[in-house]
Amino acid sequence: MSSVPESLRLRREVSPLELFYDLVFVFAVSQLSHQLLEHLTGRGVAETAVLLVAVFGTWAYTSYEATLLDVHRDVTRWMIVVVMGLGLFMNAAIPGAFADRAWAFVIPLLAILFLAGSVTALAGRTDALREHFRRTLIWMALSAPLWIAGAAVGSGPRLWWWAAAALIDLTGTWLAHPLPGRTLSGRELAFDAEHMLERLRLFFIILLGETVLTTGRAMSEAPVDVPSVLATAGVFTALVCLWAAYFGGGEDLITDSVTHSPDPVRSVRLGVNSAYLVLAALVALAVGSELVIAHPTGHGSTTLALLLFGGPALYLATTAWFFGTTAGGAWKERLVAAVTLAAVGLAAVHLPPLASLALLDLVLVATAAVLTRAHRRLTAERRITGATDHLSP
């Protein structure tokens, strides 16, 4: 049984406004994918990673705050609308963020973070909630000068300033913005964990959906021939398998685990932390898929192998960690699949892109099937255990 008091347990449906807000990030993921595609170098990867941390951080902060404040309050709804508008400007500046649009990226970014944090620090319903977001604002104040300095300098050193700022923001998120003094426990917050899990679940669908859009866009520009059609079908198969690897019962395990967790805030925070890497993995897969569709019978390369196999391997390794720390099961199968993809990716360096994609599909189809069975087995075991506990005196 969970030790969280019933007074702190809430349950609200995801609102249409929150779904509307999430659509802004379909555009963001598309922009990140194109940023990486246009800069397939070590520096380009680093720049994309920095932008990804900044962009997803704004989504995570705002989604947490909307969940904690209650989206049905007027102050929360206005905050979401304003942040959505700022996010549109920020995401539009992604392609030029390391060129001539640095301020167009940084100003909306900082406005989002400080606006959302300030609203929650002032309008939170409890002292614990207001205290937590005052701590969050201090962390933001530490990184803000670095974002500003990076925008002020040339494009060369900008990466180092922004990487330091992104590292501070990421560390704050991973550690729940600690400061010296009293440690704030998630058990003190009235938090709708199921609501936030649903937000993460819907965001994951958005990420997969953007990859589908990337696939369709690449196919519309490719010749209508057998290799291109097979490549598109192969990419679609990979996406379906990644969807099934989680939605084939995995979401039920996570929801049940978080619902019965003594600290649901921590469990959801682990999910948000893992989402940074999941987003990076799917951006990599989207770029690799576009390259395969554009040149299905070309030559293999280390870059293509890293994108095509490294993306799904990172996705499976990250979700293995999340399932291991949250659900306590179905993580070994994911880890084995990630290692298998890494090994197969080494051979794929020397194969034509279409052959590499076929190998990827074979591994992912087998992985999806194994995970679906593992999820069903674990769910059945928990039902039996729950029934036994219920009958016990």
Side-chain angles (χ1 to χ4, degrees):
M1 292 294 292
S2 171
S3 62
V4 180
E6 289 298 322
S7 61
L8 296 184
R9 291 191 172 277
L10 309 169
R11 183 65 184 102
R12 305 184 186 98
E13 297 296 326
V14 175
S15 73
L17 179 59
E18 289 172 295
L19 295 175
F20 188 30
Y21 171 73
D22 288 351
L23 292 178
V24 173
F25 290 89
V26 175
F27 178 45
V29 176
S30 176
Q31 292 283 71
L32 290 169
S33 298
H34 283 291
Q35 162 74 15
L36 181 57
L37 182 62
E38 294 297 321
H39 302 87
L40 277 175
T41 63
R43 183 182 177 89
V45 171
E47 290 176 351
T48 304
V50 167
L51 296 173
L52 184 150
V53 169
V55 168
F56 183 73
T58 62
W59 181 89
Y61 283 133
T62 309
S63 298
Y64 257 122
E65 288 152 358
T67 300
L68 287 164
L69 283 177
D70 182 1
V71 74
H72 298 295
R73 295 176 65 187
D74 287 341
V75 65
T76 311
R77 296 171 72 85
W78 276 111
M79 179 193 73
I80 292 174
V81 170
V82 172
V83 167
M84 185 165 56
L86 291 169
L88 188 60
F89 282 99
M90 178 186 70
N91 296 334
I94 286 174
F98 282 95
D100 59 348
R101 304 190 71 181
W103 289 110
F105 180 80
V106 162
I107 291 174
L109 168 66
L110 295 179
I112 290 171
L113 296 179
F114 281 100
L115 170 66
S118 298
V119 167
T120 314
L122 293 171
R125 292 185 182 276
T126 65
D127 291 338
L129 182 56
R130 291 190 292 272
E131 177 188 348
H132 173 71
F133 277 94
R134 286 195 292 268
R135 292 166 178 251
T136 302
L137 285 172
I138 293 173
W139 275 83
M140 292 176 184
L142 292 175
S143 67
L146 301 177
W147 287 112
I148 294 170
V153 302
S155 58
R158 181 172 301 150
L159 175 61
W160 299 105
W161 287 100
W162 282 4
L167 181 60
I168 291 174
D169 288 341
L170 186 62
T171 303
T173 301
W174 274 69
L175 300 180
H177 303 99
L179 287 176
R182 190 175 76 84
T183 301
L184 183 65
S185 171
R187 296 178 177 87
E188 301 177 54
L189 299 177
F191 184 68
D192 187 350
E194 291 183 51
H195 179 96
M196 193 61 193
L197 281 178
E198 183 68 12
R199 293 297 306 278
L200 283 170
R201 202 156 36 221
L202 294 172
F203 192 78
F204 175 55
I205 292 176
I206 285 174
L207 298 182
L208 289 175
E210 198 289 321
T211 310
V212 171
L213 292 177
T214 299
T215 302
R217 187 165 50 244
M219 186 178 183
S220 69
E221 298 172 357
V224 182
D225 54 23
V226 172
S228 296
V229 171
L230 289 176
T232 304
V235 170
F236 179 73
T237 300
L239 291 174
V240 171
C241 289
L242 291 178
W243 173 86
Y246 182 78
F247 289 95
E251 80 281 13
D252 295 329
L253 280 174
I254 293 297
T255 299
D256 180 71
S257 299
V258 172
T259 300
H260 294 89
S261 169
D263 189 355
V265 177
R266 176 184 177 276
S267 298
V268 173
R269 181 166 59 83
L270 294 178
V272 171
N273 291 345
S274 68
Y276 281 93
L277 295 177
V278 169
L279 174 55
L282 292 178
V283 167
L285 178 60
V287 174
S289 299
E290 194 161 349
L291 292 175
V292 172
I293 293 172
H295 307 286
T297 58
H299 299 287
S301 67
T302 301
T303 298
L304 180 60
L306 285 172
L307 293 168
L308 203 60
F309 289 86
L314 177 61
Y315 166 78
L316 289 167
T318 301
T319 54
W321 169 77
F322 181 50
F323 271 75
T325 56
T326 304
W331 64 270
K332 294 180 181 178
E333 296 87 346
R334 286 175 162 81
L335 194 58
V336 169
V339 172
T340 302
L341 284 172
V344 174
L346 294 175
V349 172
H350 307 288
L351 296 174
L354 196 56
S356 297
L357 184 58
L359 286 176
L360 175 67
D361 285 344
L362 284 175
V363 175
L364 290 182
V365 167
T367 299
V370 169
L371 286 175
T372 299
R373 288 196 295 270
H375 296 154
R376 289 173 179 171
R377 183 185 71 253
L378 286 169
T379 299
E381 290 174 355
R382 290 190 178 191
R383 286 174 180 170
I384 293 172
T385 302
T388 303
D389 292 343
H390 180 72
L391 292 174
S392 299

